[in-house]
Amino acid sequence: KRTPLMYYHGGSSFWFGGAVTANTVQAQAANPDGYVYVYGYKSTGFFRQMVAARVREADFEWFDRWEYFDGTVWQKDPLKAAPLLDHISTEFSISQILKGRNKGKWIAVFTYDTNTPYVAYSLGDTMVGPFEKPNVVYKAPEIEFFGKTTYCYNAKAHPQLSESDNILVSYNTNTYSFEHNRANSDVYVPRFLRLKEV
């Protein structure tokens, strides 16, 4: 089925599908509202900002029933989706913190500025913010270890495999050099770390 989840307007592009969070009973959400939230990004040049859409679980495949958050209300025009968080990557995660000092908040985990060695997070009061300024918490060593053709991307949390105060995070690495990949298969594998509340 055709998926109209990419739009162009005014020198920017809007892409939806970078993260999906089901706030439903079936997903065992703390406060389910019956919606599936589909996040994406507004891309202007190389700068990306998070945007959000939602749809009722039963209506997921009916794109004319999707709504987009304009910073104040949910409405039908995807081009009015408001930027919610700067420096987001093309894939990321949004999950709720269920215990600890940030209980009830939502955490976005992402690679700062898409293809960098920096893993970052941001806390939001709701699923659509407001989100705080990104906090860079980790610099991946692979670029220095494997060489300058290596890059890192798509950090995200795995809440199903985590506790709220001890979050499993993965990020990917690869190389621009095909010969490098052939010579060392360890370049192109996911990496994991733990984001712990202290």
Side-chain angles (χ1 to χ4, degrees):
K1 184 170 184 175
R2 292 183 63 84
T3 55
L5 299 176
M6 180 181 67
Y7 306 89
Y8 292 94
H9 179 71
S12 297
S13 57
F14 295 77
W15 304 67
F16 291 90
V20 178
T21 300
N23 196 38
T24 63
V25 172
Q26 184 177 357
Q28 300 179 351
N31 298 293
D33 60 8
Y35 284 95
V36 177
Y37 290 76
V38 180
Y39 298 87
Y41 56 91
K42 177 184 179 182
S43 184
T44 307
F46 293 103
F47 187 64
R48 293 187 170 98
Q49 300 167 292
M50 184 170 69
V51 291
R54 73 176 185 180
V55 63
R56 291 283 182 187
E57 183 178 21
D59 296 334
F60 192 88
E61 65 179 305
W62 304 106
F63 295 103
D64 59 339
R65 299 178 187 175
W66 286 41
E67 300 174 326
Y68 304 85
F69 189 63
D70 69 5
T72 304
V73 297
W74 294 93
Q75 48 77 44
K76 293 292 187 180
D77 185 355
L79 298 178
K80 292 182 180 176
L84 304 175
L85 177 61
D86 294 344
H87 303 286
I88 202 71
S89 47
T90 55
E91 292 181 22
F92 50 97
S93 63
I94 304 285
S95 51
Q96 191 171 27
I97 298 175
L98 301 177
K99 67 179 183 180
R101 66 179 182 180
N102 292 308
K103 181 179 179 180
K105 290 185 179 290
W106 293 81
I107 185 169
V109 178
F110 52 98
T111 298
Y112 190 90
D113 281 340
T114 307
N115 285 345
T116 71
Y118 302 109
V119 176
Y121 79 91
S122 176
L123 295 176
D125 292 333
T126 72
M127 296 185 77
V128 290
F131 286 94
E132 65 185 18
K133 181 180 177 181
N135 297 283
V136 174
V137 291
Y138 183 77
K139 181 181 180 183
E142 282 77 19
I143 293 176
E144 295 175 9
F145 182 77
F146 287 117
K148 63 183 181 180
T149 64
T150 307
Y151 60 96
C152 304
Y153 60 105
N154 289 348
K156 61 180 68 68
H158 299 273
Q160 300 88 343
L161 303 174
S162 307
E163 295 290 335
S164 289
D165 55 358
N166 187 351
I167 299 172
L168 180 66
V169 175
S170 67
Y171 64 93
N172 298 329
T173 62
N174 204 346
T175 173
Y176 295 109
S177 168
F178 183 67
E179 291 305 318
H180 189 182
N181 251 325
R182 291 184 62 183
N184 189 341
S185 60
D186 288 337
V187 175
Y188 188 36
V189 296
R191 267 69 181 184
F192 296 89
L193 58 106
R194 290 278 181 181
L195 183 59
K196 294 186 177 182
E197 182 180 278
V198 294

